[in-house]
Amino acid sequence: MTDILNESGDNVDQPVRVSTPTVAVFGCGGCGINMVRFVRKDIINNASIKNIDTSTANTRSGESLIMINTPETGSGSGKDRSMNASYIQDHLANMEASDLDIADINIVVFSLDGGSGSVIGPTLIREIERSG
């Protein structure tokens, strides 16, 4: 039998309860949002699901959206990363971690093909790392 120790190194009679970690899934850009939508019903239970995009075109009614307004195009980036990259990076850098709903486990889903998700995804990962 294995001894169970608490943080002080003392034996405990009962197993230590471990809390269930919180999980957040971020769909970034059109492709990321669609991929999260595809798996969300079957695989992701009790996770906070957030969509982040520069367009409302990819989000359905009732889905959470963090909208990044982009003055250059007004909506979307097409496949031109440079068009809205600075606005996306500034927007995410200036958001509070609580507004992003960062969890214990964060899953960031995006494609490198488009103009929004390919900037939002890596920028979001950097901001999650900074938040600790």
Side-chain angles (χ1 to χ4, degrees):
M1 181 172 195
T2 304
D3 289 335
I4 299 174
L5 307 177
N6 63 15
E7 291 176 0
S8 303
D10 301 322
N11 282 326
V12 293
D13 295 331
Q14 298 177 357
V16 177
R17 293 181 187 252
V18 178
S19 63
T20 303
T22 57
V23 178
V25 181
F26 298 91
C28 304
C31 185
I33 290 169
N34 287 331
M35 287 189 290
V36 169
R37 188 178 295 127
F38 179 72
V39 298
R40 74 187 294 176
K41 294 177 185 170
D42 299 325
I43 298 173
I44 306 166
N45 294 318
N46 301 320
S48 165
I49 298 175
K50 298 261 185 176
N51 297 327
I52 306 176
D53 206 353
T54 57
S55 171
T56 58
N58 300 307
T59 302
R60 295 180 183 164
S61 176
E63 292 180 335
S64 170
L65 174 65
I66 297 172
M67 180 68 181
I68 300 175
N69 294 315
T70 54
E72 291 296 320
T73 62
S75 181
S77 296
K79 294 194 177 280
D80 187 354
R81 291 180 188 96
S82 64
M83 184 178 296
N84 292 317
S86 63
Y87 297 107
I88 292 169
Q89 291 164 347
D90 290 345
H91 185 90
L92 290 175
N94 291 318
M95 286 186 73
E96 296 291 328
S98 60
D99 293 334
L100 287 172
D101 218 6
I102 295 172
D104 299 321
I105 299 170
N106 298 283
I107 301 167
V108 181
V109 183
F110 61 98
S111 161
L112 290 175
D113 190 46
S116 296
S118 61
V119 178
I120 295 169
T123 304
L124 178 61
I125 291 168
R126 185 171 48 246
E127 294 307 317
I128 291 170
E129 288 176 326
R130 285 185 188 167
S131 74

